[in-house]
Amino acid sequence: RAILPELERLDADPGRFTGVTSLGVDEHLWHHGDPRRKGPKELTGMVDLTRDTDGCTRARLLDLVPGRSKKAYADWLAERGDAFRAGIGVAALDPFGGYKAAIDEQLADATAVLDAFHVVKLGTAVVDEVRRRVQQATLGHRGRTGDPLYGIATILRAGVEHLTDKQHTRLTAAINANEAHLEVYVAWRCAQDLRAAYRATDTHQGRRLAEKVLASFHTCPIPEVARLGRTLRRWRDAFLAYFTTGRANNGGTEAINGIIELHRRLARGYRNLNNYRLRMLLAAGGLTP
C-alpha cells in the first residue's frame, strides 16, 4: 500500500518509453488458477531490446497486457503513439502469427526477426517426431530401454559439434540397426544444417546456409522435415532477417520472463493483475521508487 502510488506514478511517465529502437514480445502465464476468478491466464509482454553503444543488450520490461493475440499486441503498439512506433527498427518475436500480424500492421517500417532459439527448437522437435514415428512403425510401441532409437534420444537433441567419439559410435550403431532408421538420421542432419546457419561465424555465410535450408527442406520426402520447410518459407523474411540485423534475437525477452517467473514464485502467486504488473515492472522494468 505504501509503494503502490509511487509505482503508479512511475508507470504513468511516458519517458520510460523513450529511446526504444528494438522491441521484443512473448507470451507469459501469470497464474494457473481459475480464469473466472483471475481472468485470462496469458499475458503479452513487451521488452526493450535496444543495444547500448558497446553492442550489449540490457533487456527491460516495458509492459504486460492481458491476452495472447494480434489484438493485444497491436492495441498496445497503437497506444504508444506515432513517435514510439517510428523509432522501432527491429521487432523480434517467436513464430506466432498473431504477433507477426500486429507488427505488420503497426510497425510497417520495422524489420521483424524470427528468434533463432525457437527456430532451432522447431528443428529439434522434428527429429523427435520422426524418431517416435519410426519407433512405432518398426517395433509397434513407444521407446523402451534397450530399443536402439530410444537409446540415442538425448544424442539426437545435441549439436554434432558436442558429440564425443563414444556418442558418435552409439549413434552410428543405432542408425545401422534397421534400414528404416535412416529417416531419423536424415532428419537429424537437416536439424544440424539449420543449426549450422546460426553457428556460422560470418553472417553472409550463415545467410547462404539458411537460403539452402529454405530451398531444400520443403522438398524432403520425410513429411515432418517438409512441413518445417514450408513453415520456414512462410516466415522467410523474418527468418533471414537474423543475418542482416546484427543477429537480433528474442533472448532478452526470455531472460525477462525468467525474472518474472522467479518473483512470482517468491510471492507464492498473485491475486490482483494490476499489482502483479506493477510488481514485475519494479523487478524487471527499471522502475526505481
Side-chain angles (χ1 to χ4, degrees), residues 74-231:
D75 287 353
W76 184 86
L77 288 169
E79 290 172 4
R80 300 283 70 77
D82 293 339
F84 176 84
R85 294 194 300 273
I88 303 299
V90 173
L93 74 160
D94 301 343
F96 172 53
Y99 292 154
K100 179 61 165 58
I103 291 171
D104 291 343
E105 178 183 295
Q106 296 291 333
L107 300 174
D109 295 330
T111 301
V113 182
L114 196 58
D115 185 55
F117 170 81
H118 286 84
V119 174
V120 173
K121 185 178 178 181
L122 289 175
T124 304
V126 161
V127 180
D128 269 342
E129 289 179 32
V130 175
R131 179 184 60 79
R132 289 194 295 267
R133 174 173 60 78
V134 173
Q135 170 81 30
Q136 285 284 352
T138 55
L139 296 179
H141 59 73
R142 296 179 62 183
R144 299 172 184 169
T145 301
D147 293 341
L149 292 181
Y150 182 76
I152 61 169
T154 302
I155 295 175
L156 291 172
R157 298 189 186 104
V160 64
E161 71 280 1
H162 298 307
L163 298 185
T164 64
D165 291 341
K166 182 179 179 180
Q167 288 173 321
H168 273 293
T169 301
R170 288 176 55 197
L171 176 64
T172 302
I175 297 302
N176 291 338
N178 190 312
E179 186 178 348
H181 295 178
L182 183 60
E183 271 194 280
V184 179
Y185 179 74
V186 172
W188 180 71
R189 286 305 321 176
C190 288
Q192 296 304 315
D193 289 345
L194 188 57
R195 291 183 76 256
Y198 288 115
R199 294 190 68 253
T201 55
D202 178 67
T203 54
H204 296 292
Q205 179 191 2
R207 183 184 173 94
R208 286 194 294 270
L209 293 173
E211 288 174 340
K212 288 182 180 179
V213 166
L214 290 171
S216 60
F217 274 26
H218 71 290
T219 63
C220 182
I222 300 173
E224 294 86 351
V225 176
R227 186 190 68 224
L228 174 60
R230 292 191 296 271
T231 298

Side-chain angles (χ1 to χ4, degrees), residues 33-45:
D34 187 348
R36 292 172 296 182
R37 294 179 55 245
K38 293 187 175 182
K41 293 184 177 183
E42 292 179 321
L43 303 179
T44 291

Side-chain angles (χ1 to χ4, degrees), residues 57-72:
T57 300
R58 292 173 175 82
R60 175 173 63 97
L61 179 65
L62 294 174
D63 215 340
L64 291 169
V65 297
R68 176 184 182 263
S69 63
K70 171 192 173 183
K71 186 178 187 308

Side-chain angles (χ1 to χ4, degrees), residues 26-30 41-43 257 260-261 264 276:
D26 198 9
E27 74 276 0
H28 167 69
L29 289 179
W30 82 279
K41 293 184 177 183
E42 292 179 321
L43 303 179
N257 271 346
I260 291 174
E261 292 287 347
R264 187 182 66 189
Y276 180 82

